[in-house]
Amino acid sequence: KKSWWRRTREELKGDFSSIALLLFLYMLQGVPLGIIAAMPLMLQERGISFSEQAVFSLAYWPFSLKLLWAPIVDSLYFRAMGKRKSWLVPCQYLIGIFMLVLSYEVNAVIGDPKSGIRPDVYALLMIFLPLNFLAATQDIAVDGWALTILSRKNVGYASTCNAAGQTAGSFLGNVLFLTLESKNFANRFRETPLDHGFVDLAGFVFFWGCVFVVSTTLVWIFKKEVDNQAVDVESPADEEGELELGVIETYSMLWKILMLRPMIWMITIYLTGKFAFAATDGITSLRLIKMGMPKDTLAQFGMFRTMIQIMLPWIVGSWTAGPRPLNIFLIAYPIRIMIGIALAGLIYFSTNLRVPGSKDFYMSFYIIWAVAYVIRQIGMSSMFVSSTAFNAQISDPRIGGTYMTLLNTLNNMGGNWPVTLILSITDTFTWKNCYPPIHHNSTVSSVLYSCSTEATEAQCAAAGNTCDVHIDGYYFGVALCTVVGLIWYKLMFSKIKYIQEIPREEWRIIKQ
């Protein structure tokens, strides 16, 4: 009969400060991730191909490969500093220093569309890949700390902190940055219009480098590590805290986790399930930029999406903290497939919402896409919170963060490789034709030649002709992902039901 707020306060009693710290650490982690996520929009505005986007997408991969060094993070540490702070503090200092140095170089390699300088995609990859590597290492430490900093009854809220904190950080690094970087947004508040926004990428990165250095110092000095799993009075008397394992022992434990019978299905589910959404997640925003939507506008209606993304984990937290958190996953999966089909349809019909004789769109265009992105984000966040809550429930806190890192890594990898693959093949299935200038003003068009390659497209433009898309590879990608997703859902539905019914003890490596 108690209100939701009162029940939540009673449940979280004693864990408020820990939850606040986790939210802050995950927020810091989300900032560089948000900046990296903003780069494809900036690069698309500078006219790079989907194949080049596929190259830059490799910058996301450290989060999919962090399992390779997670046992080292989980095993080697300075006892005086604390098991998690031994890695958390150096990583965040390095991120801060790296961003300070990056601020002096990034503008030179991102390109300038006004002067015709193309972005150096490979240089950008070499810049953001190590930055993401440091963020992934910090994530290993925070994931492990989340399992011990919270009491056993509230450990399910680790996924909520992860989702809400990373979302807030990604909002700051992506939505806020793209908005402040936009000259269109900035000129709304200026008496004299200027050709730049309030900040540029270099200044924004410099600011967050300073934030990382200062906040890491405060965490290092004022926060001590306590294993609340070991001292939790509500846990069984024979329950112990984290085991002290060496590197070799941790890798051995990791192998034993992979050899658990239920883990085979978990690996299959996490590595293949997100292929259904690869085209929608990886290309839809880029297609909108290509159609003429300003990237700052795309970011601005993302504010509403981000608000829901932060609030939703707390709303569904009571369900994901229960015994069957993957039920939310099963409900959201087919909805996301339908959303992907709907977004492809909106891309196709959005050209009808352009103001005649102008590159601008009617206001209805922006309202429709804002609503569409909010609905899409509800599905994404529901699946994310559901899967990470299940990961937290089955992870054995006695072997540190390695268990949870394994599951989260599989989940991340399952989202990254399909996007890279779809981006790399989209240009292959996109056919363009070169038309004479009269093409746009005549009901009868004559195709001069195919201009699907970069060289022939440049040749067509140099001759004063127009290179238009004849068959869009984006729709091929959406169709392929949808078919594969429907087949996957049919085959895996019963398996997902099955794995969450397995007693949690069966997921443990160290039995009582």
Side-chain angles (χ1 to χ4, degrees), residues 195-248:
D195 198 31
H196 55 80
F198 288 126
V199 300
D200 61 2
L201 183 58
F204 191 80
V205 168
F206 181 86
F207 169 79
W208 280 105
C210 296
V211 172
F212 265 90
V213 172
V214 173
S215 61
T216 302
T217 303
L218 296 176
V219 172
W220 185 9
I221 295 173
F222 293 107
K223 182 61 180 179
K224 298 185 181 298
E225 289 191 37
V226 177
D227 189 347
N228 287 314
Q229 298 290 330
V231 301
D232 192 348
V233 296
E234 296 186 12
S235 61
D238 59 350
E239 190 78 25
E240 300 177 9
E242 267 188 278
L243 296 178
E244 299 293 332
L245 300 175
V247 176
I248 303 300

Side-chain angles (χ1 to χ4, degrees), residues 374-390:
V374 167
I375 296 173
R376 170 176 169 262
Q377 194 59 57
I378 292 175
M380 291 177 63
S381 296
S382 297
M383 289 180 60
F384 176 78
V385 176
S386 173
S387 58
T388 49
F390 183 72

